[in-house]
Amino acid sequence: MAKKKTIDFQALLNEVDTLFPTYQALDQDGNVVDESLVPDLSDEQLVELMSRMVWSRVLDQRSTALNRQGRLGFFAPTAGQEASQLASHFAFEKEDVLLPGYRDVPQLIKHGLPLYQAFLWSRGHVVGNEYKDDLQALPPQIIIGAQYVQAAGVALGLKKRGKKNVAFTYTGDGGSSQGDFYEAINFAGAYKANGVFYIQNNGFAISTPRDQQTAATTLAQKAVAAGIPGIQVDGMDPLAVYTVSKLAREWAANGNGPVLIEAVTYRYGAHTLSGDDPTRYRSKELDDEWQKKDPLIRFRNYLQNKGLWTKEQEEEVMENAKQEIKDAIAEADKVPKQKVSDFLKNMFEEQPQNIQEQIKFYEAKESK
């Protein structure tokens, strides 16, 4: 007679995996598959959300071209992630604090950063980091996952001040394997801080496939270790992303603690335009498969079926976006170029002697 297992480890794994289904409101053709996840947005709000997503796609295309022309510096493509980025941001309020990663520039602009400053940030210009007092955001974090730690601190600050606002932040699937990720959600969970944490899972940590960087079936289930809610959502579905984000914000703002959201998405372009070649690790078949799930196509179909969106509307949004980008890059070009002496002057409120000497050295060099 076979001895009964005292502990069935495989059963433990299977049990956890069943707790994290993928929430979806629209299928890839724009048909409603779960009415309970369709948000109570007005027609004007639905059109505004679509306009923001189209704007973001144009920004991605124009930024890529400007980078290739040498008119921008660092750029991380965003095409394909419009729902996970813009629909999530749509659920937050102006007073909520955004702590973006380097790919989350579209949300930052919609949160209030002038576009020309975003371009200056790309160029490494200090003016790109000079935020007005009413902009509730920090400059994009370059270190993978580091913005999570900052967000946890800001979220606790909001809670201790009795605010009904939240801090929200984003990282990629690779970021969820970093130490900062675990430390941040654990800290925020222990103190029930007002935070909403996103993982934008596009399937690759630069070139490493997701299933090779973690054994976890979903990334949302990493929330279990921190004792906080974790949820997985179709990141190509703007309505589901919005609904999940709105509910998570309400949960966190009401003092219940943070939420971790995994948005399953796909980015068409390279990791960044600083040397990555996605054709070395992604197949055309995989790209084609995800193109069928494009967030713009499915949301366009949904809105057209409701009589809220036309080809002419979309073309107008695209033309306005192109003009906005053209004006912003012209404004960025007017800002005096960054000097080494400027960097040094910004390092300390009172410069020590060695910095003073370096400032004099570079000012003499720059004046020639």
Side-chain angles (χ1 to χ4, degrees), residues 77-332:
T78 58
Q81 295 190 207
E82 290 84 359
S84 66
Q85 293 185 317
L86 277 304
S88 60
H89 178 264
F90 205 61
F92 292 91
E93 298 180 1
K94 184 177 175 59
E95 293 75 21
D96 295 329
V97 184
L98 169 61
L99 297 103
Y102 53 74
R103 198 180 307 283
D104 304 308
V105 174
Q107 302 101 296
L108 186 55
I109 296 167
K110 290 303 178 187
H111 211 57
L113 182 69
L115 182 53
Y116 86 95
Q117 281 191 267
F119 288 155
L120 288 171
W121 173 81
S122 168
R123 294 175 177 179
H125 201 295
V126 67
V127 174
N129 293 330
E130 294 177 350
Y131 287 10
K132 293 182 178 178
D133 291 343
D134 63 349
L135 175 53
Q136 300 299 314
L138 261 61
Q141 179 59 261
I142 293 292
I143 303 170
I144 305 297
Q147 64 274 25
Y148 259 53
V149 177
Q150 295 173 325
V154 174
L156 179 58
L158 291 169
K159 181 181 179 66
K160 290 179 75 69
R161 292 163 62 192
K163 298 287 186 181
K164 287 292 185 181
N165 294 107
V166 304
F168 62 112
T169 188
Y170 301 81
T171 191
D173 45 304
S176 72
S177 294
Q178 293 289 105
D180 283 355
F181 167 87
Y182 293 102
E183 293 164 12
I185 62 173
N186 185 71
F187 179 91
Y191 288 97
K192 293 191 180 301
N194 300 8
V196 179
F197 298 87
Y198 286 92
I199 304 169
Q200 296 188 87
N201 172 13
N202 82 310
F204 291 89
I206 306 183
S207 58
T208 303
R210 198 202 71 74
D211 61 4
Q212 291 182 23
Q213 59 156 314
T214 176
T217 304
T218 71
L219 303 182
Q221 68 199 67
K222 294 187 176 186
V224 173
I228 66 175
I231 187 168
Q232 187 184 69
V233 63
D234 182 345
M236 309 294 266
D237 175 353
L239 296 187
V241 170
Y242 174 85
T243 297
V244 167
S245 300
K246 192 73 173 176
L247 293 172
R249 186 200 174 277
E250 291 175 2
W251 171 270
N254 287 324
N256 298 304
V259 178
L260 179 67
I261 299 174
E262 176 192 4
V264 181
T265 184
Y266 193 77
R267 185 187 62 253
Y268 303 134
H271 177 70
T272 72
L273 298 188
S274 303
D276 177 49
D277 178 6
T279 63
R280 298 180 64 181
Y281 55 87
R282 287 194 331 225
S283 67
K284 182 179 182 304
E285 290 72 22
L286 185 62
D287 284 348
D288 290 344
E289 177 186 336
W290 279 93
Q291 287 276 0
K292 296 174 185 174
K293 304 174 183 176
D294 189 291
L296 295 186
I297 294 174
R298 91 170 59 179
F299 201 32
R300 182 187 300 128
N301 289 340
Y302 174 74
L303 293 181
Q304 286 178 337
N305 289 337
K306 291 172 69 71
L308 296 176
W309 194 255
T310 64
K311 181 181 177 183
E312 289 73 23
Q313 275 177 277
E314 186 158 332
E315 288 175 348
E316 183 179 358
V317 171
M318 293 173 67
E319 289 306 312
N320 289 340
K322 290 175 184 175
Q323 187 61 50
E324 178 188 352
I325 294 164
K326 185 178 179 181
D327 293 344
I329 200 72
E331 190 170 358

